């Protein structure tokens, strides 16, 4: 739960430091003094969208930091999944620069806004006034029912199968489209494959053929050069080989008198062997080099064929052509066995549909059982909140096909009068009735979840008198020792029930208009509640009434 919050340079807030505790606390203040600004800062801290326009004028950034006690709320798993250090005291910080750039940190470790928002949803539920509109959202109604049903394990099993089901259907659709396209192109595919197979391509042959064509085109020059080199090395007029042999022999004759002669003679002998071998190889190569017009023509035609195929298919290597041929062959094979693949996939999908139907039926049973309990609990709560003739029902309808949540469409039906048949809640409930219904739902959800903090922003709008007190009592009960409930309210009956009372106010300073929030002492609290009843002019009657309200809290 939220223990401390620090806000700097957010809208009209220059600097605010506030401590909070468990239980039920209230926040009051005149309209326009900044209660929504304070709530907005908390929302940004919890991962909601940030806006550079919210930065206080003249500041280069705003910083919002919250200290949370998260012991006993089973959040270790989330921290492990996100590779974050877990500690019973969690520090969450959000910084927004004037450029619009936002940074978020959990225990001084940078996190994404998505991670921050996910953590925020686990730490805090902020009920703003516009959230009453969610009561008209069928998806929200179903989520509330699922929370109360405690069917997360069944939903997770179903969802895993549903994801596989969707994946297989996507695969089936793609396979059918590919097969249909291949069948349209079958004749073209066969022609392309036949052409490539007829070419009998061999990877790397272009390089070999290009080298051969260079040799054939210059055969006479190559042969002449090879023979010329041999003649230069070994000819009757002056043989380098003979000279090397004679030199080696001369050195050998003096080896007994000159120690270096043996080494030099050996080196000359090695040169003689290498040069003789080189000369022999050149003679052999010269003998093999033959000018062949027919072979030259064949190689030129072969290269032209390969070049044409490369140009046609817009590739640069024979390897790429071979890969294309393999692809054409694979597509043709798929045409031949595609129907079998489709039937096999359809059998797998049919089997999955049976499993999904079974699991969806179990989920529906659990939901319907929970819906019966929800109906009776909601009626009991709403009767206490001033609706003696209330009728609240949960209507079920089957969806068309499977959805990620099962096969149920849920609608909350409502009637405040015995003479009117229940109709969809959002169609018939007034603003005050919607507020009471939402508070009743929140109280039931709170008892089924392990969420540390609940914040209500004027959830009591549209009610007064004894109903306001009853709504306050409900929030007071929700704010038990291990949970924190904060209520922003304009009603003195609610404000008097808080264990701690905070006031948001606006004042003029040397730096301009600023909003501040402070915790009220006992006397300050009496005056605040009295002003909420009587206005700016405090009367003894209002003070006495305020003291009475506080004494009954």
């Amino acid at each position: 739960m939220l223990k401390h919050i620090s806000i700097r340079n957010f809208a009209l807030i220059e600097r605010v430091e506030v401590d909070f505790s468990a239980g039920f606390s209230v926040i009051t203040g005149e309209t326009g003094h900044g209660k929504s600004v304070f709530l907005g800062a908390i929302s940004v801290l919890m991962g909601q969208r940030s806006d550079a326009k919210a930065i206080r004028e003249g500041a280069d950034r705003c910083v919002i930091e919250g200290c949370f006690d998260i012991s006993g709320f089973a959040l270790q798993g989330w921290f492990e999944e996100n590779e974050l250090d877990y500690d019973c005291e969690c520090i969450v910080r959000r910084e927004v620069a004037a450029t619009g750039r936002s940074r978020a940190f959990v225990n001084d470790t940078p996190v994404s806004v998505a991670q921050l928002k996910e953590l925020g949803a686990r730490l805090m539920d902020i009920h703003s006034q516009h959230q009453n509109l969610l009561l008209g959202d069928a998806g929200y109604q179903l989520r509330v029912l699922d929370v109360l049903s405690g069917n997360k394990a069944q939903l997770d099993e179903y969802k895993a199968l549903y994801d596989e089901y969707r994946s297989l259907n996507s695969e089936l659709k793609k396979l059918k489209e590919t097969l249909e396209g291949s069948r349209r192109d079958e004749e073209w595919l066969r022609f392309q494959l036949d052409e490539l197979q007829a070419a009998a391509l061999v990877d790397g042959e272009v390089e070999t053929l290009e080298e051969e064509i260079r040799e054939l085109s210059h055969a006479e020059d190559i042969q002449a050069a090879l023979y010329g080199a041999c003649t230069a090395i070994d000819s009757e007029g002056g043989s380098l080989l003979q000279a090397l042999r004679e030199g080696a022999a001369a050195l050998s004759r003096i080896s007994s008198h000159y120690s270096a002669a043996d080494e030099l003679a050996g080196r000359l002998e090695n040169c003689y062997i290498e040069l003789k071998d080189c000369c022999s190889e050149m003679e052999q190569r010269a003998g093999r080099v033959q000018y062949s017009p027919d072979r030259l023509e064949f190689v030129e035609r072969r290269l032209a064929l390969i070049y044409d195929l490369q140009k046609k298919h817009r590739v640069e290597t024979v390897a790429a052509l071979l890969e294309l041929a393999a692809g054409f062959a694979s597509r043709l094979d798929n045409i031949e066995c595609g129907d079998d693949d489709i039937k096999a996939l359809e059998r797998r999908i049919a089997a999955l549909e049976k499993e999904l139907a079974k699991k969806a039926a179990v989920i529906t049973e659990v939901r319907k059982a929970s819906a019966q309990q929800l109906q009776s609990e909601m009626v009991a709560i709403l009767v206490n909140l001033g609706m003696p003739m209330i009728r609240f029902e949960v209507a079920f309808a089957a969806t068309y096909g499977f959805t990620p949540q099962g096969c149920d469409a849920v609608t909350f039906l409502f009637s405040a009068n015995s003479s009117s048949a229940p109709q969809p809640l959002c169609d018939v409930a007034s603003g005050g009735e919607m507020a009471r219904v939402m508070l009743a739902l929140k109280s039931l959800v709170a008892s089924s979840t392990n969420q540390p903090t609940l914040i209500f922003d004027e959830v009591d709008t549209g009610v007064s008198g004894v109903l306001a007190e009853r709504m306050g009592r409900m929030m007071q009960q929700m704010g038990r020792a291990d949970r924190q409930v904060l209520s922003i309210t304009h009603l003195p009956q609610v404000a008097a029930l808080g264990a701690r009372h905070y006031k948001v106010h606006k004042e003029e300073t040397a730096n301009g208009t600023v909003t501040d929030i402070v915790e009220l002492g006992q006397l300050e609290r009496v005056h605040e509640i009295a002003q909420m009843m009587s206005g700016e002019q405090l009367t003894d009657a209002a003070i006495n009434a305020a003291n009475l309200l506080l004494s009954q809290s």
Side-chain angles (χ1 to χ4, degrees):
M1 64 189 70
L2 182 62
K3 292 174 60 180
H4 179 83
I5 190 167
S6 167
I7 307 170
R8 285 181 288 164
N9 299 323
F10 184 84
L12 292 178
I13 297 176
E14 184 176 31
R15 187 180 185 94
V16 160
E17 302 273 348
V18 190
D19 292 321
F20 293 97
S21 63
F24 181 48
S25 301
V26 295
I27 301 173
T28 61
E30 294 182 26
T31 300
H33 276 214
K35 296 187 297 296
S36 61
V37 172
F38 177 70
L39 189 60
I42 295 178
S43 297
V44 169
L45 179 64
M46 293 292 95
Q48 295 303 312
R49 184 179 177 182
S50 61
D51 191 340
K53 295 179 181 178
I55 299 175
R56 181 172 172 78
E57 186 174 352
D60 60 351
R61 64 172 182 163
C62 73
V63 180
I64 309 165
E65 183 173 285
C67 176
F68 295 83
D69 178 359
I70 59 174
S71 57
F73 291 100
L75 290 173
Q76 293 96 324
W78 186 89
F79 277 78
E80 290 174 4
E81 289 172 11
N82 289 272
E83 299 181 349
L84 295 170
D85 293 333
Y86 174 81
D87 193 283
C88 292
E89 189 172 88
C90 175
I91 306 296
V92 179
R93 186 169 80 255
R94 185 86 181 272
E95 300 176 0
V96 183
T99 59
R101 185 170 178 266
S102 167
R103 297 193 302 166
F105 303 85
V106 174
N107 292 335
D108 284 330
T109 300
V111 296
S112 67
V113 174
Q115 287 175 302
L116 180 64
K117 194 169 184 178
E118 188 177 342
L119 177 60
R122 293 169 182 265
L123 292 176
M124 188 177 290
D125 179 10
I126 302 176
H127 175 79
S128 57
Q129 294 179 55
H130 74 272
Q131 223 184 5
N132 287 341
L133 299 174
L134 287 174
L135 287 174
D137 180 357
Y140 176 77
Q141 295 177 5
L142 186 61
R143 288 194 296 275
V144 167
L145 184 59
D146 282 335
V147 169
L148 298 175
S149 299
N151 61 359
K152 185 178 184 304
Q154 292 99 324
L155 277 173
D156 287 346
E157 290 179 5
Y158 171 89
K159 185 64 165 54
L161 280 180
Y162 177 79
D163 289 343
E164 184 182 357
Y165 171 75
R166 282 196 64 186
S167 175
L168 289 180
N169 271 294
S170 177
E171 184 180 342
L172 177 62
K173 180 181 178 182
K174 185 177 179 180
L175 183 58
K176 285 181 175 179
E177 290 174 350
T178 301
L179 182 59
E180 184 180 347
S182 295
R183 281 179 173 154
R184 285 196 304 267
D185 300 336
E186 183 174 4
E187 185 176 344
W188 178 85
L189 287 169
R190 290 199 183 280
F191 175 80
Q192 303 302 325
L193 180 60
D194 289 345
E195 184 180 47
L196 288 171
Q197 287 180 336
L201 299 168
V202 177
D203 190 15
E205 70 172 311
V206 168
E207 292 77 8
T208 302
L209 290 171
E210 287 176 340
E211 183 178 354
E212 185 177 358
I213 203 171
R214 288 193 296 270
E215 182 179 316
L216 288 168
S217 299
H218 302 84
E220 292 180 356
D221 293 339
I222 294 170
Q223 195 174 56
L226 289 170
Y227 279 132
C230 287
T231 302
I233 293 170
D234 187 16
S235 65
E236 293 181 0
S239 172
L240 283 176
L241 291 175
Q242 183 62 31
L244 286 170
R245 291 301 297 271
E246 291 175 356
L251 288 170
S252 295
R253 286 194 293 271
I254 64 170
S255 61
S256 60
H257 314 298
Y258 184 59
S259 60
D262 271 343
E263 181 188 353
L264 293 171
R267 290 169 65 184
L268 287 178
E269 187 66 29
N270 288 337
C271 289
Y272 169 80
I273 294 170
E274 180 66 23
L275 198 56
K276 184 177 181 181
D277 183 65
C278 185
C279 189
S280 175
E281 185 175 342
M282 286 189 292
E283 284 181 343
Q284 291 173 8
R285 287 181 175 274
R288 289 198 298 266
V289 174
Q290 298 291 333
Y291 174 68
S292 171
D294 292 340
R295 180 62 185 176
L296 179 60
E297 183 181 357
F298 170 81
V299 173
E300 287 176 338
R301 285 200 309 269
R302 181 67 178 166
L303 278 173
L305 170 64
I306 296 173
Y307 291 154
D308 287 344
L309 288 173
Q310 288 178 343
K311 182 177 180 181
K312 174 182 178 180
H313 294 284
R314 297 181 181 179
V315 297
E316 296 182 357
T317 64
V318 171
L321 288 173
L322 291 171
E323 188 175 344
L324 275 175
F328 293 144
S330 176
R331 289 178 66 181
L332 288 168
D333 287 342
N334 288 339
I335 292 173
E336 294 175 4
C337 61
D339 287 333
D340 292 337
D341 292 341
I342 286 174
K343 288 177 182 177
L345 202 52
E346 287 174 338
R347 285 193 294 270
R348 289 173 63 192
I349 290 172
L352 263 181
E353 286 176 343
K354 290 181 181 179
E355 284 297 311
L356 279 170
K358 289 179 183 177
K359 292 191 179 296
V362 171
I363 292 170
T364 299
E365 289 178 11
V366 173
R367 284 171 174 165
K368 286 184 175 180
S370 180
Q372 292 295 321
Q373 184 177 353
L374 173 62
Q375 289 172 174
S376 60
E377 289 178 342
M378 285 292 289
V379 168
I381 294 172
L382 292 173
V383 166
N384 184 54
L385 292 180
M387 300 184 190
M389 308 308 295
I390 180 67
R391 295 169 68 187
F392 182 91
E393 298 176 7
V394 181
F396 281 80
T399 60
Y400 180 75
F402 299 106
T403 75
Q405 292 77 35
C407 296
D408 300 318
V410 166
T411 305
F412 289 169
L413 303 180
F414 173 87
S415 174
N417 308 301
S418 59
S419 58
S420 302
Q423 298 181 47
L425 176 65
C426 60
D427 293 343
V428 295
S430 67
E433 290 168 341
M434 291 282 273
R436 282 176 276 177
V437 169
M438 179 59 90
L439 180 60
L441 284 173
K442 291 279 187 179
S443 69
L444 294 176
V445 169
S447 63
S448 300
T449 60
N450 200 29
Q451 198 159 41
T453 300
L454 298 172
I455 298 180
F456 292 100
D457 180 18
E458 299 184 16
V459 70
D460 46 27
T461 298
V463 298
S464 59
V466 66
L467 295 182
E469 182 185 351
R470 289 178 181 176
M471 292 182 75
R473 292 285 180 193
M474 184 176 294
M475 288 184 280
Q476 188 182 49
Q477 292 169 7
M478 291 165 66
R480 57 179 189 255
D482 61 342
R483 179 179 281 126
Q484 183 179 57
V485 175
L486 303 175
S487 177
I488 297 174
T489 183
H490 284 295
L491 300 180
Q493 297 93 331
V494 175
L497 294 172
R500 300 178 77 169
H501 189 154
Y502 302 86
K503 181 177 180 178
V504 177
H505 64 95
K506 214 162 46 171
E507 60 185 44
E508 295 297 326
T509 70
N511 296 325
T513 304
V514 297
T515 289
D516 197 6
I517 178 170
V518 295
E519 184 176 359
L520 300 180
Q522 184 61 27
L523 182 59
E524 295 169 317
R525 191 173 183 190
V526 170
H527 286 175
E528 173 70 5
I529 293 173
Q531 282 186 330
M532 293 172 74
M533 291 188 290
S534 68
E536 186 175 355
Q537 186 66 39
L538 281 179
T539 64
D540 291 339
I543 290 175
N544 290 334
N547 277 311
L548 180 61
L549 280 177
L550 287 167
S551 67
Q552 295 173 344
S553 63

